Amino acid sequence: MAGVVLESHLSQVCENHKIKVTKKKPTINDFDQLLKDSDVIEIHDWRFIQHLADLRNLCDHNKKREPKKEEIDDLINGVEKITKTIF
């Protein structure tokens, strides 16, 4: 769920800043890159969102291991931070 919230929020941020999204099914990383390239977010936010996308993929896709509780908590807390600080 947190990944969906993050993706939706980043989509809205792109819309707020009139950033054209050309990909048919953009991902968190696509939105993240567009926001960085458009100088909406700084490098440290871009890296943090990349980290959240990695955690989301660990939770969502069939990997060799299950995410740790701390990683899930980091994802949830990180998404909460991004939704409160990046508009």
Side-chain angles (χ1 to χ4, degrees):
M1 254 333 199
V4 173
V5 171
L6 179 59
E7 191 171 283
S8 177
H9 180 73
L10 295 177
S11 174
Q12 184 62 53
V13 174
C14 285
E15 190 176 315
N16 293 350
H17 290 272
K18 312 246 186 290
I19 298 169
K20 186 175 181 177
V21 180
T22 56
K23 203 168 181 184
K24 285 192 180 217
K25 293 188 177 187
T27 64
I28 293 169
N29 286 325
D30 296 323
F31 292 124
D32 189 30
Q33 189 65 45
L34 287 168
L35 291 168
K36 181 178 85 64
D37 292 346
S38 299
D39 294 323
V40 174
I41 60 174
E42 297 184 24
I43 297 288
H44 65 90
D45 291 321
W46 175 72
R47 286 188 183 129
F48 184 62
I49 294 168
Q50 283 182 324
H51 173 66
L52 296 177
D54 290 343
L55 291 175
R56 181 252 178 211
N57 288 338
L58 179 62
C59 293
D60 225 20
H61 299 292
N62 190 6
K63 300 285 183 179
K64 293 183 180 186
R65 72 170 181 88
E66 290 295 313
K68 298 174 185 167
K69 181 189 179 318
E70 296 81 17
E71 292 169 322
I72 295 168
D73 291 342
D74 286 349
L75 176 59
I76 292 168
N77 294 330
V79 170
E80 183 177 14
K81 176 184 174 184
I82 293 298
T83 59
K84 290 180 177 180
T85 59
I86 295 178
F87 307 102

